[in-house]
Amino acid sequence: MKKSPLLLAASALFILAAGAAAQNARFSSTQLSAGMHLIKAEVAATDPERQQGLMFREKMANNAGMVFVFDQPATQCMWMKNTLLPLSVAFIDEQGKIVNIEDMQPQTLASHCSKQVVKYALEMNLGWFRQKNIKPGMTIEGLPRAK
């Protein structure tokens, strides 16, 4: 079945508008610390915020990231659908201890999961944790509580 040019144009505009709306989504932010390193983290603490995450972002400042706050501690998995930036994610337990860190490539459907029960996930630019020598077992301070 052949689609009309008008329908195709309308579909393209809808997709562009959705991407623009996602880029303009407003998240609260907080300051976290990993040892001596300060992080300006946007907070994704509700289901809609966690679903949106960093999708459609084209850039992120060097010491900026997004912290996902989950309602209950559980094994958590992240994926990169509609996420344009390569990211590293630290899975963090309820006490703030990093359980594991995974690197994630943009626009993929591969799952990246915590190795244990966690309460948080912190996404940063790809390689940020490695560059700062931040490893599993270290603590992230200043984590927000669930809404």
Side-chain angles (χ1 to χ4, degrees):
M1 182 172 147
K2 188 174 179 182
K3 293 185 180 179
S4 76
L6 185 58
L7 179 61
L8 291 173
S11 296
L13 283 175
F14 176 77
I15 291 168
L16 288 173
Q23 276 188 306
N24 294 327
R26 298 284 180 229
F27 293 87
S28 64
S29 65
T30 190
Q31 182 172 290
L32 305 177
S33 62
M36 63 184 252
H37 304 285
L38 298 179
I39 301 163
K40 182 179 179 185
E42 293 179 81
V43 179
T46 65
D47 280 337
E49 290 171 342
R50 288 188 294 264
Q51 289 169 14
Q52 176 61 50
L54 292 169
M55 289 194 318
F56 303 107
R57 303 278 182 100
E58 294 180 358
K59 60 184 185 263
M60 190 164 59
N62 191 35
N63 290 316
M66 180 171 281
V67 62
F68 294 78
V69 183
F70 301 105
D71 296 329
Q72 298 295 323
T75 300
Q76 299 292 341
C77 296
M78 309 294 277
W79 64 331
M80 298 287 286
K81 182 178 181 183
N82 298 321
T83 305
L84 308 176
L85 302 169
L87 300 171
S88 293
V89 59
F91 292 101
I92 305 165
D93 71 13
E94 209 162 6
Q95 288 71 47
K97 186 173 86 176
I98 298 173
V99 171
N100 60 299
I101 300 170
E102 303 293 328
D103 290 340
M104 305 184 296
Q105 293 305 311
Q107 301 190 58
T108 62
L109 299 179
S111 288
H112 305 275
C113 301
S114 63
K115 293 183 178 179
Q116 299 172 17
V117 169
V118 296
K119 178 78 174 168
Y120 306 94
L122 175 60
E123 290 182 340
M124 301 293 290
N125 285 312
L126 182 69
W128 187 88
F129 297 101
R130 188 172 39 260
Q131 292 164 1
K132 308 294 186 204
N133 202 30
I134 297 167
K135 299 176 180 176
M138 297 178 80
T139 302
I140 302 294
E141 300 289 339
L143 292 163
R145 302 294 165 212
K147 290 185 179 181

